Amino acid sequence: PHVFVDTLFIEGDSKQIVIQLKKEAHPNSSILTELAQEREKWRIDTIMIDPGHGGKDPGCVGGTSVFEKNIALAIAKAAQKEITQRIDVQVLLTRENDVFVPLRMRAEKANQQGGKLFISIHVDANRVKSLHGHTIYFMGPAKTDDARQAAQYENSVVQLEDSQNAYEGLSDAAFILAANAQNSYNKESQDLASMIDREIQTICDSHSYGVRQAGFYVLYGASMPNILIETGFMTNASDRQKLNSSSYQKSLARAICNAVIKFKERYESLTF
């Protein structure tokens, strides 16, 4: 709103100049409209959940019948149901069933649908079978070998895509620099990752490997806060059994929902 100088005087012996301001009695309607439009941009009203893998890409496999793609879809659907039951937002999935979706199309879909948060669901794997628990990632240079290997594994899905030209030059440091340059939501992404990490620890009693950075192709291009959840280890018998159960999938969904609600309340309070 516009402000005007109401009074200007020198206060006593202090030699201070005091300026009293007053707001315009009736702000211009176009200004109010513009402010309302800017506020709406920050309203978290659409959330895109991305079930990793799908179709011809099974993801990591446990034994002969437990597939990452199925677990990721089940958790995503449970989270979609949990969130829409508790708050008034639209929750969309990048895939609704067992189909293959190229990595680049997942963030593109989120952008096209006006997504305000992008959450990609996955299951981890490691040759060390004793490793168990979850890790939350946001876009950035990998600082550990485990983070780098996780990104390399998830990015290897491009080998199944019909056209890999979109990923040329994205396998080195240039990818991270380009991603960070076009992604103005790293701070918000890190905050959301931390909230989800805490909720999964609390609700699911899951061991946490913390919040980490890595260069995941699936997060590249998402014009909103974006994170990737490795919900557990397919290569750990205990994790695999939990992740394949509907009760644990619902617990993860509740943890994700709790974090989304807290994130929404925090960031909308800054603009509304």
Side-chain angles (χ1 to χ4, degrees), residues 125-132 146 149 209 233-236:
N126 196 289
R127 65 174 65 90
V128 181
K129 296 183 179 181
S130 60
L131 293 180
H132 64 96
D146 286 343
Q149 289 168 9
Y209 290 94
F233 284 85
M234 185 70 79
T235 44
N236 179 272

Side-chain angles (χ1 to χ4, degrees), residues 46-87:
T46 302
I47 297 165
M48 184 65 74
I49 300 181
D50 171 49
H53 308 278
K56 62 184 177 181
D57 171 24
C60 53
V61 181
T64 58
S65 60
V66 184
F67 301 99
E68 178 182 1
K69 65 177 183 178
N70 296 334
I71 291 173
L73 184 59
I75 295 170
K77 287 185 173 181
Q80 181 186 44
K81 182 178 180 180
E82 180 82 13
I83 295 170
T84 53
Q85 285 180 341
R86 291 174 59 185
I87 55 176

